[in-house]
Amino acid sequence: MHARRIDALALDNYQRAARVILANHLVTRTYPDRIALPLIRRWATELREDLAELFGYRLEVTETTARVYPVIDRLDGGKPARTVNDRVFDRRRYAYLALALAALGRAGDQITLSELADQVAAYTARIEGLELAPDRAADRDAFVDAVGWLAARGALTLADGDAGGWAADPEAGEALYDIDRPVVFALFRPPRALQHLHSVRGLLAEDPAVTAGQPAAQSGELARRVRRALVERPVVYADDLTPEERPVLAQERTVADVELFTGLRAERRAEGVALIDTSGRLSDVRFPGTGTLAQVALLLVGEIADVVLDIDHPLPRRPRRAEPGETLADELDDAIPESTLFVPMADLPFEPEAGEAGSTVDEPEATYPFVAADWVRDTVRALTDRYGVTFAAQWQADVPGLTAQVTALLARLRLIQVVEDGLLVLPALARYRGAVVTVRTKRAAELFVTAADTVGASSTGTEGI
């Protein structure tokens, strides 16, 4: 591992490069910023070898791009594409993005927005249930969001005009883009033809035959799977792992290698391990954080911790259900049109091998405190009544929407698991049980006094997850 041999004065720089490439997977001359690519290129050799050794990832670096091809152990629906205004992509935007990439792969060095729209519209005509009608404002807005996602990553560079003008009136507005072909090809290059896949699981590993015939422990794949989990999930619970992986997580060397490579600090508990990112360069969500959702989430965490710790009124307990990533592949497989499959070369459906499911020893099923949905809703409403004047305007009159967004944030951080009639409290939530609320008010003597108090919530000893 190269990180062990790098001079202490340069190690911080190397760890910063590691965090950038792990967080973004694609780095270009402008994405995520202009200093990222030179940083990656400086350490390209060391990063390439350490990423392969620790995680089984492949890194390709060129003059204009750096691209990590990860090994995906399970699908994760918690990291959606987002627009430049931070709105989550819907199915139509994903479809336009995929078709725009296909069109750009066949284009020259430049293309106008209307030309690209015409090509994507022609593609949509071959897909049942999908259409791009330039005379429909909703379609134009969705298409511009997909193009904006490509532009943010450097695949397209605006040379003239304005995409917003075209979205407002395609007859009067236009935009001309330069195409960066290496970025286009780096964005999407599947390991095999999609028509040859009978299951989405065929995309989870770039080359599943690499360790064929070798025990996972011998090939080092067990340790790599655990290390991948550490950098891909906010918290790795022992219950999430197979019986073979749990002892690997408990080994000091496994976690220490990831700490040294990333520069992050690991918090170890009996239930699992979390990497704490105080740099903000690896986490896609910082918590605690600023903004109404993060503040209300922290306040709600404090309330949940109080009821969990109330020994006079113990909460009921339930086992966890399957994680979304464990069922998402099946849902996507059900949506694959059979007419598009090249059957003679299609992969066989995934079936676990004998003994792969885990130990034959029956282990007691873990259970977690259950909090009812009514209690969660009433608690968020009470927090809104008390502090709502300081919330963003959109949430002050939308308590149900605020509740849904806050619980989704906590679930994404793996502090809770949302179930149909409430939520399960997961162990990592306990690290925020010391939340302290400070309400600051303006002095009457100050000019421009308003009735709005400001609320700040902090959690002792926490920097981010």
Side-chain angles (χ1 to χ4, degrees):
M1 182 176 172
H2 285 280
R4 296 195 190 93
R5 302 192 295 270
I6 294 175
D7 182 83
L9 295 177
L11 182 59
D12 179 70
N13 189 265
Y14 178 69
Q15 291 169 335
R16 199 175 329 132
R19 293 194 295 269
V20 169
I21 196 63
L22 284 173
N24 298 285
H25 286 192
L26 173 70
V27 173
T28 67
R29 285 175 290 192
T30 58
Y31 182 82
D33 52 50
R34 294 188 178 275
I35 65 174
L37 185 60
L39 179 64
I40 301 299
R41 284 173 55 81
R42 174 186 175 185
W43 297 104
T45 300
E46 294 84 353
L47 286 171
R48 185 180 297 112
E49 295 181 10
D50 279 353
L51 285 166
E53 176 187 344
L54 295 175
F55 308 104
Y57 293 171
R58 179 166 59 86
L59 172 65
E60 290 185 3
V61 180
T62 69
E63 291 185 2
T64 59
T65 63
R67 179 74 161 95
V68 160
Y69 294 88
V71 177
I72 307 299
D73 296 306
R74 67 176 186 176
L75 299 178
D76 183 0
K79 299 178 181 179
R82 295 178 179 271
T83 70
V84 292
N85 296 322
D86 204 37
R87 295 194 305 271
V88 173
F89 268 39
D90 55 15
R91 296 177 66 182
R92 177 167 49 176
R93 284 168 171 78
Y94 277 120
Y96 291 166
L97 175 60
L99 296 176
L101 277 170
L104 292 173
R106 298 176 174 87
D109 295 329
Q110 286 189 322
I111 194 168
T112 64
L113 190 59
S114 58
E115 289 174 339
L116 182 58
D118 289 342
Q119 293 186 35
V120 171
Y123 291 154
T124 63
R126 308 176 195 174
I127 304 172
E128 185 178 353
L130 182 64
E131 182 183 13
L132 171 55
D135 60 346
R136 192 157 52 216
D139 285 8
R140 295 197 304 271
D141 289 342
F143 179 68
V144 168
D145 283 341
V147 170
W149 189 94
L150 293 168
R153 283 149 184 81
L156 295 172
T157 302
L158 185 65
D160 193 18
D162 175 26
W166 180 87
D169 184 357
E171 297 297 328
E174 185 59 283
L176 176 66
Y177 288 95
D178 294 326
I179 303 172
D180 193 323
R181 300 183 68 79
V183 176
V184 171
F185 293 132
L187 271 170
F188 183 67
R189 194 169 66 198
R192 67 199 74 182
L194 298 186
Q195 292 89 340
H196 295 172
L197 296 177
H198 190 73
S199 170
V200 172
R201 291 182 177 87
L203 289 174
L204 295 187
E206 185 170 351
D207 189 359
V210 168
T211 58
Q214 292 184 335
Q218 178 181 338
S219 67
E221 183 59 21
L222 272 180
R224 283 191 285 272
R225 285 208 301 256
V226 173
R227 294 191 202 104
R228 289 196 292 263
L230 286 169
V231 296
E232 291 168 3
R233 307 179 198 173
V235 184
V236 179
Y237 294 112
D239 289 343
D240 296 336
L241 306 179
T242 66
E244 294 84 4
E245 292 168 344
R246 290 170 194 165
V248 179
L249 180 65
Q251 293 173 5
E252 179 72 22
R253 175 71 176 269
T254 303
V255 179
D257 283 346
V258 178
E259 286 182 305
L260 181 61
F261 181 67
T262 62
L264 305 187
R265 177 176 55 86
E267 279 195 4
R268 298 173 178 83
R269 296 291 185 269
E271 298 87 358
V273 178
L275 288 181
I276 308 303
D277 178 19
T278 59
S279 70
R281 297 304 297 267
L282 183 59
S283 302
D284 56 342
V285 176
R286 288 189 63 80
F287 187 77
T290 58
T292 298
L293 293 181
Q295 292 290 313
V296 175
L298 188 58
L299 293 170
L300 179 60
V301 162
E303 298 293 333
I304 293 173
D306 286 345
V307 298
V308 170
L309 295 174
D310 186 355
I311 59 176
D312 294 327
H313 302 88
L315 294 175
R317 301 180 70 90
R318 293 186 185 178
R320 287 170 64 185
R321 59 174 174 79
E323 290 288 334
E326 297 170 16
T327 58
L328 183 56
D330 293 329
E331 295 170 5
L332 292 174
D333 285 349
D334 291 340
I336 296 177
E338 292 184 3
S339 60
T340 65
L341 293 177
F342 185 54
V343 178
M345 296 183 66
D347 292 346
L348 294 176
F350 173 84
E351 293 291 345
E353 297 180 2
E356 184 178 314
S359 172
T360 58
V361 178
D362 292 334
E363 297 181 1
E365 187 174 29
T367 59
Y368 301 87
F370 167 76
V371 177
D374 290 344
W375 182 92
V376 176
R377 183 175 56 252
D378 292 344
T379 300
V380 174
R381 184 174 299 280
L383 293 172
T384 303
D385 292 341
R386 185 173 183 182
Y387 305 113
V389 70
T390 68
F391 294 174
Q394 71 183 100
W395 301 121
Q396 292 181 15
D398 185 13
V399 174
L402 177 61
T403 303
Q405 291 295 320
V406 165
T407 53
L409 172 61
L410 295 178
R412 185 178 178 186
L413 294 168
R414 309 197 79 210
L415 303 181
I416 64 170
Q417 184 179 72
V418 178
V419 294
E420 289 184 1
D421 53 346
L423 55 86
L424 302 181
V425 184
L426 303 185
L429 182 140
R431 76 187 302 270
Y432 300 100
R433 64 182 178 271
V436 177
V437 178
T438 303
V439 179
R440 299 185 297 274
T441 57
K442 298 280 188 181
R443 288 192 307 237
E446 292 185 23
L447 294 176
F448 306 108
V449 174
T450 67
D453 295 340
T454 59
V455 58
S458 61
S459 181
T460 55
T462 60
E463 297 288 346
I465 247 185

